[in-house]
Amino acid sequence: MKNSQRVTLEPVAMPERFRFDETFVSKAVKNATDIILANLSEYVHMYPTAASEKLQYGKQKNGEDWVEGFWTGMLWLSYELTGNELFRAVAEAQFDDFQERLNRFGGLSHHDIGFLYVPSAVAQYKITGAHKARELGLRAAEQLAKRFSETAGIIQVRDTDRQGVFIVDCSMNLPLLFWAAQTTGDHSYYSKALRHITQVCNYIIRDDASTFQRFQIDEVTGQPGKGEQGQGYDDKSCWARGQSWVIYGLALAYRYTREPEFLEMGKRVANYCLNRLPSDHVCCWDLIFTGDGDARDSSAAPIIACGLLELAEHLPEEDMHKQLYDTAAGDILMHLAQEYHTLQGESNGLLKHGVYVKKTRPGKEGIGCGDDECCIWGDYFYLEGLVRLSKKWNPYW
């Protein structure tokens, strides 16, 4: 039985509630790129921290975290939006930082190599054709591929985690492997990415189309263990950012494989999400919360929007979801631009009310971080969403 037959496809309730006026885009682009330009000199060979404190990102060297690629990706997106050569110059200057990090393998013992090298090296290659960027991207893909467990059929999350653990976030690291297969003709990259996303469909996505954040498959026996929520409210809930990663990840998996099952699963996880949004359509931090008074996660919302736009691009014209997803994505991005965007001088980030790790989870109270702040991945995907609404775009992913 295909997974899409196992998983519920909810009809989207009141689809007419999603609507947007595309005239917001040009102003939103200017507001975002103006803030990035104003802070450009501060982040040439230093990078924003994962989350802000009091709406101000700190500084870190490339190699301290999993997020440095998002800032470089924002520079490439800004260059594509404005044509300003300053954005390109700084993005190209950062190539050496990513190369040096890979050479010494600094802070790369995890699956987020895709988040680091797709918006930096792969983006540079796609935009400029630079051979060195192509080679760096392929070297990064080689390291990501080494994390693959043949028996479990997954990419292990971190060296420090127990064996056989994979998490929903990795759905968005797989494009690095798919791209490497497409670029080199080496089918082993494709096979590993395909097997991993298939295991996501098998075990991460639950019957009702909600998701676990993490799951364990024994790397010795190949037997499945149990799912857990990790950063969500509890193991029965549905962490919003996790749902966003799989919406977008499945759409991208279809882009590379043309396997209809990934579109079908993408619709299921997307509809589950759309049916659990508050009135401004910016998701709460966990999808068990749907009220207007509940805490949002503005860093998950633009990932959802980008995933919806990617899904819509591949759906046939006769599919009722195609126009719905386009409209819902524009609606989400419009609300972010009008109600969640920082003001000039207020912050060096773009979106307020993001959540890295929520501080108010059962049994984990007070140990969160980046709660109700700017989050650098949210800023990146917000800008990517604006690019997608502005032009025909060749995705970095």
Side-chain angles (χ1 to χ4, degrees):
M1 181 179 71
K2 292 184 176 181
N3 272 297
S4 60
Q5 297 172 328
R6 169 182 64 83
V7 177
T8 300
L9 175 61
E10 296 181 351
V12 176
M14 297 184 294
E16 67 278 2
R17 75 187 190 273
F18 296 108
R19 55 189 181 274
F20 77 103
D21 181 350
E22 63 185 13
T23 59
F24 87 91
V25 175
S26 59
K27 181 179 179 182
V29 166
K30 186 177 188 310
N31 288 345
T33 54
D34 281 354
I35 289 175
I36 295 167
L37 185 61
N39 292 282
L40 195 59
S41 63
E42 297 295 314
Y43 296 101
V44 177
H45 291 294
M46 298 294 286
Y47 296 78
T49 49
S52 64
E53 291 186 16
K54 298 180 180 179
L55 299 184
Q56 296 295 318
Y57 285 118
K59 295 179 183 179
Q60 61 186 4
K61 294 180 180 179
N62 197 326
E64 296 186 35
D65 211 342
W66 62 277
V67 299
E68 290 88 337
F70 293 121
W71 170 247
T72 308
M74 289 169 67
L75 300 183
W76 285 119
L77 292 171
S78 297
Y79 172 65
E80 292 204 70
L81 283 165
T82 68
N84 188 330
E85 293 289 340
L86 281 174
F87 292 122
R88 175 172 175 165
V90 175
E92 289 185 321
Q94 292 176 353
F95 172 88
D96 290 345
D97 298 336
F98 287 95
Q99 184 176 57
E100 189 274 337
R101 178 173 185 169
L102 192 59
N103 287 345
R104 64 181 171 84
F105 205 68
L108 294 176
S109 297
H110 55 71
H111 66 172
D112 286 326
I113 295 172
F115 283 137
L116 287 162
Y117 286 89
V118 169
S120 57
V122 176
Q124 182 174 351
Y125 171 61
K126 288 188 174 185
I127 294 168
T128 72
H131 180 75
K132 66 177 184 179
R134 176 185 183 274
E135 293 308 303
L136 185 62
L138 292 176
R139 286 180 56 208
E142 183 180 1
Q143 293 301 323
L144 181 59
K146 289 178 180 178
R147 304 197 62 76
F148 187 77
S149 166
E150 287 290 343
T151 303
I154 55 98
I155 294 171
Q156 173 83 22
V157 56
R158 283 177 293 263
D159 289 357
T160 54
D161 280 68
R162 64 188 187 275
Q163 61 93 7
V165 171
F166 67 115
I167 65 175
V168 70
D169 313 43
C170 194
S171 305
M172 283 296 296
N173 288 308
L174 301 179
L176 179 61
L177 297 181
F178 282 128
W179 168 80
Q182 186 181 73
T183 302
T184 65
D186 185 341
H187 189 74
S188 67
Y189 291 119
Y190 180 95
S191 176
K192 289 171 181 177
L194 179 62
R195 288 184 63 192
H196 182 101
I197 196 66
T198 299
Q199 295 294 60
V200 170
C201 293
N202 287 339
Y203 299 115
I204 292 279
I205 300 173
R206 299 183 283 212
D207 289 353
D208 66 354
S210 66
T211 51
F212 294 114
Q213 186 192 10
R214 62 174 62 226
F215 200 92
Q216 183 179 21
I217 299 175
D218 193 290
E219 291 187 272
V220 176
T221 66
Q223 291 299 305
K226 66 173 185 175
E228 300 170 329
Q229 200 47 268
Q231 288 178 234
Y233 183 77
D234 61 30
D235 288 349
K236 295 180 180 180
S237 72
C238 182
W239 179 49
R241 195 160 79 247
Q243 195 81 1
S244 75
W245 292 137
V246 80
I247 292 170
Y248 199 178
L250 285 167
L252 290 166
Y254 178 81
R255 173 181 284 274
Y256 284 101
T257 68
R258 300 295 163 173
E259 170 52 60
E261 182 73 356
F262 296 139
L263 277 187
E264 289 300 317
M265 290 294 278
K267 289 194 289 188
R268 283 155 172 76
V269 293
N271 288 12
Y272 181 94
C273 182
L274 292 176
N275 281 336
R276 287 159 181 82
L277 300 180
S279 65
D280 66 0
H281 305 150
V282 173
C283 58
C284 299
W285 72 278
D286 192 296
L287 296 179
I288 62 168
F289 302 109
T290 59
D292 287 349
D294 293 318
R296 305 297 204 272
D297 182 7
S298 68
S299 78
I303 307 168
I304 294 167
C306 290
L308 292 173
L309 290 169
E310 182 73 19
L311 281 172
E313 182 176 337
H314 303 301
L315 289 172
E317 293 294 333
E318 63 271 18
D319 192 306
M320 61 180 290
H321 294 91
K322 186 179 184 71
Q323 184 59 52
L324 170 60
Y325 291 165
D326 270 334
T327 303
D331 182 297
I332 291 167
L333 291 165
M334 182 180 70
H335 280 284
L336 289 170
Q338 295 177 347
E339 297 155 32
Y340 291 77
H341 202 284
T342 59
L343 302 175
Q344 193 77 33
E346 176 187 25
S347 172
N348 57 3
L350 302 184
L351 295 179
K352 297 181 283 190
H353 308 308
V355 176
Y356 189 173
V357 182
K358 193 68 179 169
K359 295 179 181 178
T360 54
R361 296 171 294 155
K364 300 179 182 178
E365 291 84 353
I367 62 172
C369 59
D371 190 350
D372 196 21
E373 293 285 352
C374 305
C375 295
I376 195 64
W377 55 87
D379 288 358
Y380 167 84
F381 284 105
Y382 170 67
L383 198 61
E384 182 185 303
L386 295 179
V387 171
R388 283 177 171 272
L389 293 182
S390 299
K391 56 183 284 189
K392 181 70 175 177
W393 184 61
N394 180 24
Y396 307 157
W397 309 97

